[in-house]
RNA sequence: GGGGGCGUAGUUCAGUUGGUUAGAACGCCGGCCUGUCACGUCGGAGGUCGCGAGUUCAAGUCUCGUCGCUCCCGCCA
C-alpha cells in the first residue's frame, strides 16, 4: 500500500467532514461508468461510500477507474464533498456526501464471482457454502456475525462482572457412555486407543467446583455425532457455566439477569423478569411437550375420562386401555379453515404417530358438525364442553393414542394451527423456565432407566428415598430455559455427594466397576470435599438465531457444515494418507474404503 | 435408516401433449455516454438440461438408478 493509511471506514463520513482529504480502502460494490464520469460504490463491513472520478481532477485516476470491476479491492485518496442538489441518497448513511478521487490504486483484482455480492437475490445453498467467504461479504450474513460477536461480548462482560472465571477445558478427552454418539480421535502415542471430543465440559466444570473455583464459565465448542437438523450442527457452541454454594433459584435469578442484559444490549429489548415458571408435568399436560411456545393459547385439554363409555370406539378403546384422548380448541377457526384443510390436518399429524385426527366444527347455531358427532353421547359431550368450552365458530381437534403419542401429535398440531391462524406474534420474546423434570425415563427397548438430563443431576432432596422403590417418580433439580417454543438452555443442581452419585449410577444400571472405570475420577473428586454446586448451559447458536431472526443455524455460524456433515469449502471430511493411518495403527475396512466420494 | 422438496447459461428462473435451432432477466465482454446510485444505450459471447442407464423414430420433458443441497421422522437435550 506504499505507506497509504486508511483514515475512515466506509460508513463513517458525514456532511460535517466536508473538504477533508481522506484515504479510503475497500471492495468495489458497484461501478457506474458514464464515460467521462465514473462512480464507484466502495464497501467495507461498516458501510458504503460513493466515490466520483472526474477526468479534470485526476486524469490518471479517472483512466484507472475504467478498468475497475466489481469486487476489486482498491485504495484511494480524495476530498469529501457535499453531493450536488437533489442527488443525495437517503438509503445510505453516507448519502449526503461523496468523495472526489484524486488518486486511485488497485490493491487486488477479482475474478467474476460465482454469484453477485451486491445483490440480495437468493442463491443456492451449496454454492454459497462452497464460496462461504464470498457469502460472508454480503450484508445479511455479515450482520449475523456482528450480532453474534455482540452477544458473546455482552455475555462475557456480564459474567466477568459477576465473578465468573473463563477457564478452558480439554477438547481431547475420554469417551463416556450415555448421551449422544461421540466423535473419536485416534491416539498415536497410545496405539489402539481413542480420545473423544466433548459433548459438553460437564465433568470438568464440576471438578473445577471441587477445586474451589467457585464460579466458572466458558464459551465453548461441543461435539455430537448425530444427524443434523435446521437448528443442529455436529459442532456447536455452548455458553457453559457452573457455580458453587447455590440452589436452583440462585442460578435462575442470575441467568435471568444475564439474558435480560443480553437482549437489552443486542436488541434493545427490555424483558420482564422474573420469567414465568412451569413444571414439566404441567407443560406436558397443557402443551404436550417440555418446551412450550407460550406466545399463544390453544392449550391441550384431557377428555379421556368422559370417553371410556363413548360409542366412538376409537376413543372408548384408548380411554379404557390406559391411553389418552386430548383435544385442542381452535377458537374461531371455523371461518378460516376449509373442509379440505381440516381433513388435511390428519396428514399433518400422521408423521408424529397419530393414526387419526377427529374434529368437531361448532356451527353458528351451536350444532356440532363432525364425522364423529353421532357417536358422542351426553357424557362424552359434557366432558368435551367442560374441557374445551366450545363456542360457535370454533373447531375442536382430538387425538386418541398412548399419552406420549397424543401429546407429541397435539403439540405439533398446536404450533401448526397457531401459525396458520395467525396467532404467533414474531415480535414477542416469550421466555419460561420448565422445572421439576423427572430424573429418569424408562427405556422399553433396553429395559432400563436413562437419565433425562444427565447422570450427575441431583434428585430433589425429598425424593431421595424413592430412588430405590420407584425411580420414575423421582423429580430432578433440573431446569430448562425455553424461548418461543425452543429450548435455549438447560441445567441442574449436581450431585455433590459421591455416595448419592453411586446410588444413581446403580439405579441407571451402571455397574460399580463400570462406574469406577468411566467416572471414577469424578466420584473420587466428589469424595474429597465437594461444595454443593450447579450450573447451566445455553445453546449460543440458537440464541443467535433468535437475535438475528433466522431459521437456519448455518446462518449464525461462519463456516457451517451441510446436512451430511461435510464442509463444501474445505471438502472435509477427507481421505488421509495410508502413512497417517499406519502411524495410528488403523486399517480401514473394505466398506469404509469404498465409501465417501 | 425412512419420507418430502429442489437440481436447465456464471446466477435466479421459464420451458406447452415427448417434436425441428433450449429462452428471459441479472451478471460477464466490447462500443458510446459528465450526476449516476438496480445508471442508460448499442452490440457480443456464454448450455455435459447434476450424473448413468432405459423406453421411443425422437427425451430438458417419461421410467429406473445414482449424486448433491435442503426440510422432516428416527437419532440427538
Amino acid at each position: 500500500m506504499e505507506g497509504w493509511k486508511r483514515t475512515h471506514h466506509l460508513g463513517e463520513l458525514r456532511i460535517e467532514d466536508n473538504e477533508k482529504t481522506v484515504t479510503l480502502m475497500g471492495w468495489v460494490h458497484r461501478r457506474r461508468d458514464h464515460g467521462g464520469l465514473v462512480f464507484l460504490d466502495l464497501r467495507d463491513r461498516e458501510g458504503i461510500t460513493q466515490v466520483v472520478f472526474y477526468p479534470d481532477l485526476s486524469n490518471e485516476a479517472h483512466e484507472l477507474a475504467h478498468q475497475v470491476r466489481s469486487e476489486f479491492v482498491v485504495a484511494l485518496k480524495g476530498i469529501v464533498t457535499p453531493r450536488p442538489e437533489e442527488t443525495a441518497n437517503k438509503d445510505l448513511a453516507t448519502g449526503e456526501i461523496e468523495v472526489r478521487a484524486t488518486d486511485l490504486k488497485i490493491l487486488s483484482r477479482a475474478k467474476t464471482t460465482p454469484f453477485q455480492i451486491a445483490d440480495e437475490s437468493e442463491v443456492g445453498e451449496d454454492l454459497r457454502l462452497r464460496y462461504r467467504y464470498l457469502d460472508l461479504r454480503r450484508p445479511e450474513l455479515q450482520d449475523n456475525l456482528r450480532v453474534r460477536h455482540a452477544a458473546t461480548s455482552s455475555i462475557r462482560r456480564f459474567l466477568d462482572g459477576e465473578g465468573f472465571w473463563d477457564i478452558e477445558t480439554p477438547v481431547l478427552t475420554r469417551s463416556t457412555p450415555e448421551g449422544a454418539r461421540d466423535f473419536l480421535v485416534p491416539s498415536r502415542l497410545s496405539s489402539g486407543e481413542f480420545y473423544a471430543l466433548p459433548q459438553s465440559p460437564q465433568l470438568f466444570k464440576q471438578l473445577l467446583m471441587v477445586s474451589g473455583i467457585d464460579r466458572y464459565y466458558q464459551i465453548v465448542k461441543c461435539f455430537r455425532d448425530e444427524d443434523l437438523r435446521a437448528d443442529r450442527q455436529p459442532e456447536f457452541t455452548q455458553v457453559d457455566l457452573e457455580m458453587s454454594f447455590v440452589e436452583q433459584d440462585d442460578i435462575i435469578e442470575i441467568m435471568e439477569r444475564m439474558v435480560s442484559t443480553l437482549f437489552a444490549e443486542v436488541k434493545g429489548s427490555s424483558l420482564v423478569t422474573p420469567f414465568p415458571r412451569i413444571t414439566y408435568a404441567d407443560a406436558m399436560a397443557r402443551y404436550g411437550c417440555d418446551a412450550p411456545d407460550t406466545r399463544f393459547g390453544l392449550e391441550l385439554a384431557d377428555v379421556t375420562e368422559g370417553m371410556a363409555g363413548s360409542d366412538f370406539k376409537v376413543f372408548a378403546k384408548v380411554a379404557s386401555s390406559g391411553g389418552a384422548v386430548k383435544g385442542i380448541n381452535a377458537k374461531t377457526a371455523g371461518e378460516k379453515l376449509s373442509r379440505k384443510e381440516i381433513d388435511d390436518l390428519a396428514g399433518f399429524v400422521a408423521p408424529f404417530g397419530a393414526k387419526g385426527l377427529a374434529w368437531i366444527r361448532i356451527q353458528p347455531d351451536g350444532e356440532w358438525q363432525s364425522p364423529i358427532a353421532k357417536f358422542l353421547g351426553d357424557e362424552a359431550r359434557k366432558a368435551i364442553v367442560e374441557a374445551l368450552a366450545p363456542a360457535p365458530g370454533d373447531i375442536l381437534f382430538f387425538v386418541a393414542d398412548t399419552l406420549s403419542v397424543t401429546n407429541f401429535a397435539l403439540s405439533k398440531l398446536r404450533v401448526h394451527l397457531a401459525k396458520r391462524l395467525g396467532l404467533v406474534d414474531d415480535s414477542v420474546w416469550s421466555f419460561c423456565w420448565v422445572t421439576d423434570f423427572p430424573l429418569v425415563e424408562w427405556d422399553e427397548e433396553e429395559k432400563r432407566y436413562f437419565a433425562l438430563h444427565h447422570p450427575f443431576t441431583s434428585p430433589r432432596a425429598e425424593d431421595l428415598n424413592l430412588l430405590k422403590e420407584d425411580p420414575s417418580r423421582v423429580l430432578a433439580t433440573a431446569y430448562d430455559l425455553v424461548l418461543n417454543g425452543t429450548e435455549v438452555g438447560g441445567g441442574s443442581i449436581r450431585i455433590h455427594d459421591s455416595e448419592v452419585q453411586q446410588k444413581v449410577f446403580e439405579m441407571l444400571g451402571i455397574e460399580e466397576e463400570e462406574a469406577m472405570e468411566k467416572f471414577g475420577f469424578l466420584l473420587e473428586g466428589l469424595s474429597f470435599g465437594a461444595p454443593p454446586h450447579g450450573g447451566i448451559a445455553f445453546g449460543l447458536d440458537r440464541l443467535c438465531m433468535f437475535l438475528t431472526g433466522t431459521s437456519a443455524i448455518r446462518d449464525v455460524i461462519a463456516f457451517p457444515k451441510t446436512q451430511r456433515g461435510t464442509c463444501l469449502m474445505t471438502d472435509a471430511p477427507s481421505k488421509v494418507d495410508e502413512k497417517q493411518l499406519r502411524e495410528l495403527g488403523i486399517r480401514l475396512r473394505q466398506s469404509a474404503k469404498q465409501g465417501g466420494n
Side-chain angles (χ1 to χ4, degrees):
Chain A
M1 300 190 295
E2 295 165 42
W4 283 25
K5 293 258 186 277
R6 178 170 63 177
T7 59
H8 295 81
H9 278 288
L10 297 170
E12 206 176 334
L13 293 171
R14 296 290 183 276
I15 195 83
E16 295 78 43
D17 299 300
N18 188 18
E19 293 186 4
K20 275 186 192 163
T21 298
V22 296
T23 304
L24 304 179
M25 301 183 187
W27 283 261
V28 174
H29 191 66
R30 281 204 177 84
R31 179 184 63 123
R32 290 177 295 280
D33 189 341
H34 290 227
L37 184 62
V38 180
F39 294 94
L40 293 186
D41 287 343
L42 212 56
R43 182 195 72 233
D44 67 10
R45 69 174 202 201
E46 305 300 334
I48 287 175
T49 298
Q50 173 169 286
V51 183
V52 206
F53 294 84
Y54 290 96
D56 46 2
L57 195 59
S58 164
N59 195 44
E60 201 182 341
H62 179 258
E63 282 297 311
L64 197 54
H66 286 301
Q67 294 176 30
V68 160
R69 294 291 181 273
S70 288
E71 301 307 315
F72 277 28
V73 182
V74 302
L76 57 92
K77 290 180 195 261
I79 299 148
V80 180
T81 317
R83 294 202 191 182
E85 238 12 68
E86 315 251 311
T87 63
N89 185 342
K90 287 184 283 298
D91 297 333
L92 284 183
T94 59
E96 292 201 44
I97 58 96
E98 62 194 9
V99 171
R100 304 197 171 186
T102 52
D103 217 344
L104 174 69
K105 277 182 190 167
I106 294 174
L107 300 178
S108 184
R109 306 176 88 84
K111 289 197 296 188
T112 302
T113 50
F115 53 89
Q116 287 164 253
I117 313 300
D119 189 302
E120 281 135 48
S121 67
E122 295 281 321
V123 178
E125 183 111 24
D126 39 0
L127 198 69
R128 293 169 45 205
L129 288 170
R130 164 106 205 274
Y131 299 99
R132 186 65 170 180
Y133 42 87
L134 294 181
D135 203 13
L136 290 173
R137 275 188 199 166
R138 305 228 256 180
E140 192 183 336
L141 282 191
Q142 210 164 77
D143 284 342
N144 290 354
L145 294 186
R146 190 191 320 271
V147 165
R148 187 171 174 131
H149 163 72
T152 54
S153 100
S154 165
I155 288 167
R156 286 185 194 282
R157 237 180 352 259
F158 177 86
L159 292 174
D160 181 55
E162 297 289 331
F164 286 81
W165 288 2
D166 179 1
I167 297 174
E168 291 173 273
T169 51
V171 170
L172 297 176
T173 180
R174 66 168 295 148
S175 180
T176 50
E178 313 265 317
R181 192 178 294 114
D182 284 321
F183 277 101
L184 296 177
V185 180
S187 164
R188 178 180 56 85
L189 296 174
S190 304
S191 189
E193 300 191 336
F194 295 82
Y195 300 99
L197 305 181
Q199 297 179 24
S200 80
Q202 184 60 36
L203 298 174
F204 292 103
K205 69 175 176 177
Q206 286 191 241
L207 289 165
L208 286 172
M209 295 303 103
V210 171
S211 308
I213 295 302
D214 205 273
R215 290 185 171 195
Y216 140 94
Y217 90 97
Q218 193 180 182
I219 294 179
V220 62
K221 277 285 178 73
C222 302
F223 306 86
R224 293 178 189 165
D225 188 7
E226 298 292 349
D227 286 1
L228 284 71
R229 284 286 190 286
D231 61 352
R232 267 168 28 197
Q233 283 270 304
E235 54 175 308
F236 59 100
T237 304
Q238 284 191 342
V239 177
D240 187 52
L241 57 96
E242 195 78 3
M243 307 167 75
S244 292
F245 308 111
V246 290
E247 298 185 313
Q248 174 170 310
D249 282 355
D250 301 311
I251 294 173
I252 285 182
E253 185 273 335
I254 197 168
M255 288 301 98
E256 285 179 348
R257 282 194 287 120
M258 183 183 87
V259 171
S260 301
T261 305
L262 171 67
F263 276 72
E265 292 187 354
V266 177
K267 297 297 289 184
S269 319
S270 61
L271 304 180
V272 179
T273 54
F275 299 150
R277 298 191 199 180
I278 181 171
T279 64
Y280 172 85
D282 271 353
M284 293 306 290
R286 292 165 54 194
Y287 302 101
C289 67
D290 62 1
D293 192 331
T294 47
R295 284 174 296 177
F296 50 89
L298 292 183
E299 291 189 18
L300 279 53
D302 196 319
V303 296
T304 312
E305 265 185 45
M307 295 301 154
S310 153
D311 290 331
F312 187 44
K313 293 217 177 71
V314 178
F315 283 10
K317 194 178 163 199
V318 165
S320 57
S321 62
V325 184
K326 294 177 79 170
I328 291 179
N329 182 351
K331 300 293 285 179
T332 72
E335 285 185 1
K336 293 174 184 161
L337 298 182
S338 67
R339 174 63 191 264
K340 182 174 186 308
E341 272 186 285
I342 294 171
D343 288 336
D344 286 348
L345 289 172
F348 173 82
V349 295
F352 310 114
K355 292 176 218 40
L357 181 69
W359 56 270
I360 301 170
R361 177 152 54 183
I362 317 297
Q363 305 284 56
D365 59 3
E367 189 75 14
W368 288 16
Q369 181 205 0
S370 164
I372 65 163
K374 58 176 180 281
F375 300 113
L376 298 173
D378 289 344
E379 194 197 348
R381 282 176 172 256
K382 190 166 163 250
I384 289 171
V385 169
E386 276 175 15
L388 292 163
D394 295 353
I395 304 180
L396 314 180
F397 292 96
F398 299 91
V399 171
D401 212 297
T402 62
L403 180 59
S404 68
V405 167
T406 299
N407 276 337
F408 187 41
L410 283 178
S411 70
K412 296 289 188 186
L413 179 67
R414 178 178 171 268
V415 174
H416 182 72
L417 279 175
K419 281 184 190 151
R420 172 63 186 81
L421 299 174
L423 304 176
V424 186
D425 184 347
D426 283 321
S427 67
V428 167
W429 309 111
S430 185
F431 284 93
C432 71
W433 292 100
V434 179
T435 63
D436 297 286
F437 281 81
L439 187 69
V440 293
E441 189 172 45
W442 179 254
D443 185 285
E444 197 45 49
E445 270 182 30
E446 298 204 19
K447 301 286 181 205
R448 73 173 187 94
Y449 289 105
F450 272 87
L452 203 70
H453 191 61
H454 54 55
F456 320 108
T457 301
S458 176
R460 295 196 310 182
E462 59 264 44
D463 294 345
L464 275 177
N465 55 343
L466 284 173
L467 268 184
K468 269 227 159 95
E469 44 189 278
D470 192 357
S472 64
R473 280 173 54 206
V474 176
L475 296 185
T477 48
Y479 34 83
D480 278 359
L481 183 63
V482 173
L483 169 53
N484 295 358
T486 300
E487 183 207 321
V488 292
S492 62
I493 300 299
R494 327 298 183 188
I495 298 166
H496 67 278
D497 179 320
S498 53
E499 279 181 40
V500 175
Q501 184 66 73
Q502 237 149 355
K503 275 187 198 158
V504 169
F505 281 153
E506 203 176 305
M507 189 257 290
L508 291 171
I510 301 174
E511 301 292 327
E512 188 170 345
E513 202 179 313
E514 187 189 359
M516 282 315 288
E517 186 205 324
K518 291 179 169 148
F519 302 114
F521 62 101
L522 175 71
L523 292 172
E524 206 173 18
L526 294 177
S527 73
F528 288 118
H533 63 285
I536 193 167
F538 292 87
L540 178 70
D541 312 280
R542 283 188 189 174
L543 279 174
C544 289
M545 287 171 68
F546 280 103
L547 293 169
T548 58
T550 183
S551 56
I553 194 171
R554 296 179 299 279
D555 291 344
V556 296
I557 295 174
F559 298 102
K561 306 271 189 292
T562 68
Q563 195 157 50
R564 269 185 65 244
T566 64
C567 172
L568 297 181
M569 190 181 72
T570 63
D571 211 17
S574 64
K575 294 192 177 7
V576 296
D577 287 345
E578 182 58 31
K579 180 176 172 236
Q580 288 177 286
L581 290 178
R582 209 176 310 121
E583 282 181 330
L584 295 166
I586 290 177
R587 185 183 307 137
L588 296 181
R589 287 166 183 258
Q590 202 57 41
S591 59
K593 283 184 189 170
Q594 288 159 354
N597 306 314

